[in-house]
Amino acid sequence: MRKSARMIAKELGLKTEDVYSILKELGFLVGEKGNWFLTELGKQAGGVERLVDNGERGRFNVSYQTLSWDEKIFDIIDNRLKKK
């Protein structure tokens, strides 16, 4: 099952912002709060970007990007936390 940064943070007992910060430090993400994008390295680490559309047309149409991670990201983050 793929996990969002929020789900990862909850399972590791961290803040979501901390997870994003770690992923950025590792070179998996670029951007800033609310506007994150995967790098090639992030894709290799199991990250996936997906565009979600609410299916509405006209002015009620909303689309947004989501990021999710393969479960192997837990080991990567855990190793990073142990090095701090």
Side-chain angles (χ1 to χ4, degrees), residues 56-62:
E56 297 289 331
R57 298 290 173 242
R59 69 181 197 187
F60 297 109
N61 179 261
V62 176

Side-chain angles (χ1 to χ4, degrees), residues 54-69:
N54 69 354
E56 297 289 331
R57 298 290 173 242
R59 69 181 197 187
F60 297 109
N61 179 261
V62 176
S63 61
Y64 53 93
Q65 173 193 334
T66 64
L67 298 175
S68 63
W69 300 88

Side-chain angles (χ1 to χ4, degrees), residues 21-70:
S21 178
I22 291 167
L23 294 171
K24 185 175 181 178
E25 284 176 25
L26 292 169
F28 297 164
L29 296 174
V30 293
E32 56 191 34
K33 185 177 181 177
N35 197 29
W36 296 107
F37 298 94
L38 283 174
T39 63
E40 281 303 313
L41 192 58
K43 291 174 186 176
Q44 291 171 15
V48 172
E49 292 176 335
R50 189 176 78 131
L51 188 62
V52 178
D53 188 317
N54 69 354
E56 297 289 331
R57 298 290 173 242
R59 69 181 197 187
F60 297 109
N61 179 261
V62 176
S63 61
Y64 53 93
Q65 173 193 334
T66 64
L67 298 175
S68 63
W69 300 88
D70 186 271

Side-chain angles (χ1 to χ4, degrees), residues 12 70-81:
L12 293 176
D70 186 271
E71 294 215 16
K72 68 181 176 181
I73 200 70
F74 285 98
D75 291 333
I76 295 169
I77 292 173
D78 191 46
N79 286 336
R80 178 67 179 117
L81 291 171

